[in-house]
């Protein structure tokens, strides 16, 4: 059994991105990227990646079902615990906590590094309101803990697929929205940061 300890606040933010009923069932979860030491989630439109010190014993990437993660977070918050500890058995793919049992989702998770732009334009662009709303929901738990918005670095650029992507980065956390629209009357990324700080 491999013990995996993950910060509750990070799982909360990842749950805001991970879908629950996507037909691509492998997206309905939180991806533990053992190779790159990252926590990841995406619904195909937005993605959140967090650099995280996963245990070295975890030799393979695994996907935690979103319902399992949500239950773990609910219990941790009720007990005012800052971390969730999960036991993973690589032999049968089983997951276990003090109150919940489950199994990993079996499939290949998308390689999210492919969607991040190689070059970025100026961060003063105006972006669509859908991005603003999703970013706010994802970052609320993180801002509540870290008490800062000024360190976020907003930018936009073209993904490998040629879509315009908006990116917000801070330290080891990256949030991206794919295929956004540039709107003249939308909020700017600076407005997003100001709104989060309130």
């Amino acid at each position: 059994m491999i013990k995996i300890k993950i910060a509750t606040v990070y799982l909360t933010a990842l749950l805001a991105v991970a879908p629950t009923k996507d037909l691509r069932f492998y997206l309905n979860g939180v991806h533990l990227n053992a190779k790159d030491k990252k926590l990841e989630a995406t619904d195909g439109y937005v993605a959140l990646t967090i650099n995280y010190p996963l245990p070295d014993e975890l030799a393979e990437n695994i996907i935690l079902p979103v319902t399992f993660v949500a239950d773990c977070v609910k219990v941790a918050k009720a007990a005012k615990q800052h971390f969730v500890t999960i036991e993973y058995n690589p032999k049968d793919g089983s997951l276990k906590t003090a109150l919940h049992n489950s199994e990993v989702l079996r499939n290949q998770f998308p390689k999210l590094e492919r969607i991040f732009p190689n070059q970025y334009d100026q961060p003063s662009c105006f972006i669509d309101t859908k991005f603003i709303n999703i970013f706010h929901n994802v970052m609320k738990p993180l801002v509540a803990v870290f008490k800062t918005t000024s360190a976020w670095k907003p930018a936009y650029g073209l993904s490998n697929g040629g879509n315009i992507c908006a990116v917000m980065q801070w330290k080891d956390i990256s949030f991206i929205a794919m295929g956004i629209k540039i709107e003249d009357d939308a909020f700017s990324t600076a407005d997003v940061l100001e709104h989060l700080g309130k």
Side-chain angles (χ1 to χ4, degrees), residues 31-34 36-40 49-52 54:
H31 185 231
L32 307 190
N33 188 330
D36 298 331
K37 302 288 186 185
K38 290 180 183 287
L39 308 175
E40 302 174 326
T49 68
I50 303 171
N51 293 346
Y52 198 79
L54 292 167

Side-chain angles (χ1 to χ4, degrees), residues 132-150:
I132 303 257
N133 294 333
I134 296 172
F135 178 77
H136 185 260
N137 289 336
V138 169
M139 292 306 146
K140 261 193 301 189
L142 298 177
V143 170
V145 170
F146 298 115
K147 308 294 184 188
T148 181
T149 60
S150 60

Side-chain angles (χ1 to χ4, degrees), residues 19-28 42-43 105 107:
T20 57
K21 297 179 181 178
D22 199 294
L23 293 177
R24 300 161 292 183
F25 70 92
Y26 50 88
L27 293 186
N28 300 324
T42 184
D43 64 1
L105 298 178
N107 211 308

Side-chain angles (χ1 to χ4, degrees), residues 18-131:
T20 57
K21 297 179 181 178
D22 199 294
L23 293 177
R24 300 161 292 183
F25 70 92
Y26 50 88
L27 293 186
N28 300 324
V30 171
H31 185 231
L32 307 190
N33 188 330
K35 178 185 174 185
D36 298 331
K37 302 288 186 185
K38 290 180 183 287
L39 308 175
E40 302 174 326
T42 184
D43 64 1
Y45 172 72
V46 295
L48 179 64
T49 68
I50 303 171
N51 293 346
Y52 198 79
L54 292 167
D56 292 334
E57 310 94 89
L58 186 64
E60 60 180 342
N61 297 346
I62 60 173
I63 306 172
L64 310 178
V66 69
T67 51
F68 173 75
V69 174
D71 287 342
C72 291
V73 167
K74 184 177 180 181
V75 170
K77 285 183 175 179
K80 296 184 178 179
Q81 295 175 341
H82 299 296
F83 290 89
V84 169
T85 301
I86 300 166
E87 292 185 357
Y88 167 62
N89 187 340
K91 291 182 179 178
D92 61 7
S94 62
L95 301 166
K96 183 179 179 183
T97 67
L99 297 174
H100 301 93
N101 294 325
S102 188
E103 290 184 4
V104 295
L105 298 178
R106 301 285 187 182
N107 211 308
Q108 188 77 22
F109 200 80
K111 294 183 179 179
L112 297 182
E113 67 273 9
R114 293 179 178 175
I115 63 175
F116 280 83
N118 293 323
Q119 284 188 314
Y120 294 101
D121 292 315
Q122 294 299 316
S124 59
C125 75
F126 286 78
I127 53 180
D128 65 1
T129 50
K130 184 176 181 183
F131 172 83

